[in-house]
């Protein structure tokens, strides 16, 4: 990585120019220890830089190629000036690359790409704004490059030639970092700005972070994380999205030498973790490493590649599980796999049956919208669940069946009025209708109709209901399906 | 909020606009949404800081648009964000003398018996009060082993205080003091306050270094000195606080120049009564001649 040190030379050249809004920009290319980047500057910026270098650092005034007012758009002139400016910047760099004053470093974007100057500009930011940001408690976004710089500095001596002004002291960086509660790591697999740095390839550790409660990785790989330090112990909410994870251990054991779970008193436990969102990854199976976070209450696995779930019984506190947008086509005895989940989202899968949910007695809310459920009868597998109150089936073929709502509600028997179907409570009219259907079913099955659910219903059900065409269809259809 | 500000402060005397390469916006909201509270508390120094160095050219890479940039307020009048000075300390001495335990005892008020070995450096902070002034101590705890020396030496620079620790039950740690002192003198500035701590005073029965000889060593070298115990907490506060008092005295009597490079001290003046950053940063922009 680009870090100023005696063994790293700074190579600079100006290979080309470009026109932009009537201004000539000189493309400056830099290379420090394998990191390359480019900066575009106009002549005036060179002149301003030069002014500062002359007055602050004793650079000779006549070093800069002179100004020219007229004819400065001539290609031959521009070419000559390009050569002269290249010579100028090479001379300056030769002269000052060890001490690299701030004016020059920023002119050449060292503070974006080179670790020492990057850390200094971070220190300055945190010194000036850090307390305010922390006191407001907002999430703080770090890039892998910044984290890499931080880890690098902790392991390597500061180059002795670097000027140390107090507001650029590394202490301010670490002071800030140790206090961050809401850490966001925003990764990228694209080249960083105008450089050849791929941030997601840079290794870093998180052990300077002592107070992280929420950790969010977005488009950031988990593999480069070398050490989690206290983060594993303090994090309550974990979010890893668009990071290409294929299994939970990618993050939960990201810094372990062996990515295997050790039973019992594993030092890799995430004991504070209650809320996990690993949506939008490439997870194919739920592996055993989940047991490292035994206190998870909420788990979001949506937008992954799951077709089954395992190991989730290791989460005795799991209440809410989101499996939407995965590859589930079949559910098998989910009660043996999910423990006591209360809120389950299976929307946007390819389910045809709800049979596997029939014994998931803890379920209070179920979303199976946008699947491939065709038969009303499928609902009978879950209509016996004693706590189920919220059910979303919309977006399935079954929802286009005539009188779908009443037919679904009817299956809930006495509890029909308590069920919120597709985000709507049953209307009075629906309940009356449901009562009729239930009465018919009861009489067909040779039982006495009980009409307790909906009080305003007249006793002479059959007479009344056959006056209503909708009920008539319902009943005839019912007979057909029988 | 995305915290990615590129700042180019310009010395007031020489107000000129510095071109900053504009960063491409790479902002992304980090999940948690935030509601800005409008707290009633008075404060603080950040506001003042900005007001003071009024010539700032701010470039915001990416600030979440839902957060009104100019409507910031600082919530606390007490707590971790209210202090008027920052002093940087280092703790040095042989491995195993109890440096990390002293730091832990001072910052957490607890003894950590099974303290892990320090790899390179550790860091801790605490806000203390000296003469009515709140001072934040930024403390670097260094690894004593020779193999980390190249890294730990980086942290001497700009230290306002150096705590030099030996173990009263191990003579060798005392014998090495002169080499630690040489390092400290060479790598810090002449005003750095060096405080000698004879740690593990609770183990008096195993004592290997007398109080008197250490006291004499301290006097000969112009060091402040106590025997302390990271285990019982005895004299731990005193060592850190006396160092701060001495530094503060040096500031007061002018022997420590705050503006000197690597003084290890930063002044962050607070002005109670100024509560709202919105007016502040607005006016600081308006007044800005750059
Ligand atoms: N009895 C006693 N033991 C101490 C004291 N301070 C530290 N220790 C022990 O000394 C060992 C080394 O302490 P540590 O802080 O890691 O030393 P460091 O290498 O200087 O950071 C640990 O086992 C501590 O428990 C003390 O004041 N009294
Ligand atoms: Mg230690």
């Amino acid at each position: 990585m680009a870090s100023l040190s005696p063994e790293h030379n700074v190579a600079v050249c100006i290979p080309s120019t470009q026109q932009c809004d009537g201004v000539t920009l000189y493309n400056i290319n830099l290379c420090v220890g394998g990191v390359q980047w480019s900066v575009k500057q106009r002549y005036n910026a060179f002149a301003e830089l030069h002014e500062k270098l002359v007055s602050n650092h004793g650079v000779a005034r006549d070093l800069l190629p002179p100004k020219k007012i007229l004819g400065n758009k001539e290609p031959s002139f521009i070419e000559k000036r390009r050569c002269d400016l290249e010579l100028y910047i090479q001379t300056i760099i030769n002269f000052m690359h060890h001490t690299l004053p701030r004016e020059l470093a920023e002119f050449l974007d060292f503070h974006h790409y080179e670790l020492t100057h990057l850390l200094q500009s971070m220190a300055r930011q945190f010194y000036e704004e850090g307390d305010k940001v922390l006191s407001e408690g907002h999430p703080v976004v770090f890039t892998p490059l910044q984290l890499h710089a931080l880890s690098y500095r902790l392991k390597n001596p500061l180059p002795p030639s670097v000027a140390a002004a107090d507001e650029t002291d590394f202490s301010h960086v670490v002071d800030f970092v140790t206090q961050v509660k809401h850490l966001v790591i925003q990764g990228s697999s694209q080249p960083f700005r105008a450089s050849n740095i791929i941030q997601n390839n840079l290794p870093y550790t998180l052990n300077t972070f002592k107070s992280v409660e929420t950790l969010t990785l977005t488009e950031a790989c988990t593999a480069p994380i070398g050490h989690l330090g206290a983060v594993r112990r303090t994090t309550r909410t974990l979010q890893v999205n668009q990071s290409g994870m294929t299994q939970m251990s990618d993050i939960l054991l990201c810094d372990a030498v062996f990515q295997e779970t050790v039973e019992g008193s594993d030092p890799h436990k995430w004991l504070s973790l209650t809320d996990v969102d690993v949506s939008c990854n490439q997870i194919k199976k739920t592996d055993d490493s989940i047991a490292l976070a035994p206190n998870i209450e909420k788990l979001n696995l949506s937008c992954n590649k799951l077709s089954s779930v395992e190991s989730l019984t290791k989460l005795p506190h799991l209440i809410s599980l989101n499996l939407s947008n995965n590859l589930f086509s079949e559910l098998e005895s989910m009660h043996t796999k999910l423990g006591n989940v209360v809120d389950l989202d299976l929307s946007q899968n390819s389910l045809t049956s709800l049979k596997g949910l029939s014994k998931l007695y803890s379920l209070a809310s179920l979303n199976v919208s946008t699947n491939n459920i065709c038969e009303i009868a499928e609902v009978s597998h879950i209509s016996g669940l004693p706590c189920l109150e919220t059910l979303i089936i919309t977006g399935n073929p079954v929802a286009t069946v005539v009188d779908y709502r009443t037919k679904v509600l009817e299956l809930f028997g006495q509890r029909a009025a308590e069920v919120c179907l597709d985000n709507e409570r049953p209307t009075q009219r629906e309940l009356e209708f449901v009562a009729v259907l239930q009465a018919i079913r009861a009489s067909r099955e040779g039982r006495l109709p009980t009409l307790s659910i909906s009080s305003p219903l007249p006793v002479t059900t059959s007479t009344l209901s056959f006056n209503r065409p909708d009920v008539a269809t319902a009943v005839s259809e019912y007979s057909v399906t029988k | 909020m995305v915290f990615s500000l590129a700042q180019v402060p310009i010395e007031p005397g020489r107000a000129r606009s510095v071109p900053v390469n504009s960063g491409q916006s790479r902002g992304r909201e980090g999940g948690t949404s935030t509601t800005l509270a409008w707290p009633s508390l008075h404060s603080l120094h950040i506001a003042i800081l900005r007001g003071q160095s009024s010539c700032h050219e701010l470039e915001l890479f990416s600030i979440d648009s839902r957060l009104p940039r100019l409507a910031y307020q600082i919530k606390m009048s007490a707590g971790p964000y209210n202090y008027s000075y920052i002093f940087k300390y280092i703790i040095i001495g042989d491995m195993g003398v109890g440096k990390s335990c002293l730091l832990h005892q001072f910052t957490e008020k607890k003894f950590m018996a099974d303290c892990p070995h320090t790899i390179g450096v550790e860091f801790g902070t605490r806000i203390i009060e000296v003469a009515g002034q709140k001072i934040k101590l930024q403390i670097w705890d260094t690894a004593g082993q020779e193999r980390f020396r190249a890294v730990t030496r980086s942290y001497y620079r700009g230290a306002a205080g150096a705590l030099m620790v030996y173990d009263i039950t191990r003579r060798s740690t005392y014998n090495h003091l002169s080499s630690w002192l040489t390092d400290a003198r060479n790598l810090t500035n002449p005003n750095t306050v060096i405080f000698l701590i004879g740690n593990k005073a609770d183990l008096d029965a195993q004592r290997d270094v007398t109080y008197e000889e250490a006291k004499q060593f301290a006097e000969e070298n112009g060091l402040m000195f106590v025997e302390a115990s990271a285990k019982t907490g005895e004299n731990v506060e005193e060592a850190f606080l006396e160092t701060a008092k001495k530094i503060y005295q040096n500031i007061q009597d002018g022997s420590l120049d705050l503006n000197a490079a690597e003084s290890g001290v930063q002044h962050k003046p607070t002005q109670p009564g100024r509560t709202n950053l919105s007016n502040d940063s607005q006016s600081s922009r308006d007044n800005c001649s750059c």
Side-chain angles (χ1 to χ4, degrees), chain B residues 99-100 116-118 141-142:
Chain B
K99 297 181 296 297
S100 301
H117 282 309
T118 310
D141 166 29
T142 61

Side-chain angles (χ1 to χ4, degrees), chain A residues 342-410:
Chain A
V342 173
D343 182 352
L344 179 61
D345 190 341
L346 277 161
S347 61
Q348 305 192 60
N349 281 286
S350 319
L351 300 174
T352 52
S353 172
L354 299 177
K355 189 151 184 283
L357 297 170
S358 62
K359 288 184 179 152
L360 198 55
Y361 294 120
S362 52
L363 212 55
S365 166
L366 176 67
N367 185 349
V368 285
S369 64
T370 325
N371 274 281
N372 210 7
I373 300 163
C374 302
E375 307 283 332
I376 293 278
E378 286 300 329
V379 177
S380 64
H381 295 302
I382 52 168
S383 60
L385 298 176
C387 305
L388 192 65
E389 286 189 343
T390 304
L391 178 61
I392 306 181
I393 313 184
T394 181
N396 282 284
V398 70
T400 59
V401 169
V402 180
D403 292 326
Y404 142 80
R405 277 184 64 85
T406 38
K407 285 175 186 165
V408 168
L409 290 168
E410 190 232 330

Side-chain angles (χ1 to χ4, degrees), chain A residues 125 128 131 139 166 171 186, chain B residues 1 5 7 28 83 140 266:
Chain A
Q125 275 173 31
E128 283 163 10
D131 286 345
D166 288 326
S171 303
Q186 173 69 59
Chain B
M1 189 197 98
L5 313 178
Q7 287 216 349
R28 192 171 239 280
Y83 48 86
W140 286 103
Q266 278 111 52

Side-chain angles (χ1 to χ4, degrees), chain B:
Chain B
M1 189 197 98
V2 178
F3 190 64
S4 267
L5 313 178
Q7 287 216 349
V8 186
I10 299 152
E11 288 102 300
R14 237 179 303 115
R16 292 194 60 169
S17 177
V18 174
V20 187
N21 271 312
S22 89
Q24 73 239 36
S25 176
R26 51 197 157 83
R28 192 171 239 280
E29 166 67 350
T32 344
S33 70
T34 38
T35 341
L36 280 185
W38 286 90
S40 53
L41 294 171
H42 48 279
S43 87
L44 276 293
H45 59 265
I46 286 288
I48 312 339
L49 250 186
R50 299 178 119 270
Q52 210 189 28
S53 46
S54 60
C55 235
H56 270 157
E57 198 172 73
L58 273 180
E59 182 201 26
L60 308 182
F61 280 3
S62 42
I63 290 281
D64 186 80
S65 55
R66 275 182 285 160
L67 304 174
R69 164 84 185 126
L70 297 175
Y72 284 142
Q73 282 209 320
I74 294 191
K75 285 177 195 158
M76 37 284 292
S77 60
Y81 312 114
N82 185 24
Y83 48 86
S84 36
Y85 289 91
I86 301 175
F87 292 177
K88 178 170 144 179
Y89 280 18
I90 48 163
I91 312 180
I92 54 175
D94 277 10
M95 182 179 154
V97 296
K99 297 181 296 297
S100 301
C101 289
L102 284 166
L103 174 61
H104 197 77
Q105 175 64 253
F106 179 65
T107 56
E108 308 292 323
K109 303 200 164 83
K110 273 185 223 134
F111 178 59
M112 190 171 44
D114 52 350
C115 174
H117 282 309
T118 310
I119 311 287
V121 284
E122 279 288 335
F123 182 81
T125 62
R126 197 179 126 185
I127 294 174
I128 56 164
E129 203 171 308
V130 171
Q133 296 282 354
K134 289 246 179 13
I135 296 169
K136 179 184 215 168
L137 302 183
Q138 290 180 332
I139 310 157
W140 286 103
D141 166 29
T142 61
Q145 287 143 291
E146 190 58 41
R147 67 191 171 105
F148 294 118
R149 208 57 67 83
V151 173
T152 56
R153 280 201 170 109
S154 303
Y155 297 87
Y156 286 67
R157 289 173 63 184
L163 306 184
M164 192 166 72
V165 188
Y166 69 96
D167 176 350
I168 66 155
T169 71
R170 277 195 297 147
R171 179 132 215 122
S172 62
T173 66
Y174 174 78
N175 292 340
H176 292 154
L177 286 179
S178 51
S179 105
W180 287 111
L181 188 59
T182 310
D183 253 15
R185 293 256 198 257
N186 288 345
L187 297 166
T188 62
N189 67 60
N191 284 306
T192 302
V193 173
I194 304 179
F195 200 109
L196 180 63
I197 301 175
N199 190 36
K200 310 199 186 177
D202 57 295
L203 300 176
D204 198 46
Q206 287 144 260
R207 179 184 283 280
D208 205 11
V209 181
T210 66
Y211 178 85
E212 289 72 24
E213 60 182 314
K215 179 81 193 155
Q216 193 185 340
F217 174 83
E219 271 165 17
E220 281 165 8
N221 291 285
L223 313 176
M224 304 169 82
F225 171 62
V226 288
E227 283 190 350
S229 166
K231 187 170 181 179
T232 65
E234 178 198 350
N235 277 342
V236 174
E237 292 273 315
E238 285 76 357
F240 285 86
L241 294 185
E242 288 302 318
T243 308
K245 275 187 202 158
K246 181 71 185 152
I247 297 167
Y248 189 69
Q249 250 175 39
N250 289 347
I251 297 170
Q252 296 300 300
D253 66 23
S255 56
L256 181 63
D257 178 8
L258 291 186
N259 299 321
E262 309 196 356
S263 69
V265 173
Q266 278 111 52
H267 191 33
K268 284 198 151 193
T270 56
Q271 278 180 30
R274 299 186 68 166
T275 56
N276 197 334
L277 276 178
S278 55
N279 299 335
D280 235 34
S281 36
Q282 195 58 62
S283 61
S284 77
R285 275 174 192 213
D286 294 347
N287 298 343
C288 194
S289 55
C290 46

Side-chain angles (χ1 to χ4, degrees), chain A residues 38-110:
Chain A
S38 64
V39 189
K40 299 179 202 311
Q41 298 285 17
R42 53 187 294 186
Y43 176 81
N44 282 352
F46 277 90
E48 275 178 35
L49 167 73
H50 185 60
E51 202 53 44
K52 285 181 213 141
L53 295 179
V54 169
S55 53
N56 302 345
H57 304 281
V59 168
R61 183 166 289 280
D62 58 4
L63 209 58
L64 187 77
K67 274 205 166 72
K68 187 169 185 227
I69 309 296
L70 294 174
N72 62 10
K73 291 278 178 300
E74 301 285 323
S76 61
F77 171 76
I78 290 173
E79 176 55 19
K80 175 164 187 324
R81 183 175 260 181
R82 181 191 67 74
C83 289
D84 291 348
L85 286 176
E86 182 173 68
L87 188 62
Y88 168 78
I89 200 74
Q90 284 170 344
T91 313
I92 292 286
I93 281 289
N94 252 339
F95 177 57
M96 345 182 91
H97 80 269
H98 275 307
T99 50
L100 208 67
R102 184 171 169 200
E103 300 90 329
L104 181 57
E106 282 173 358
F107 177 82
L108 294 174
D109 277 358
F110 271 72

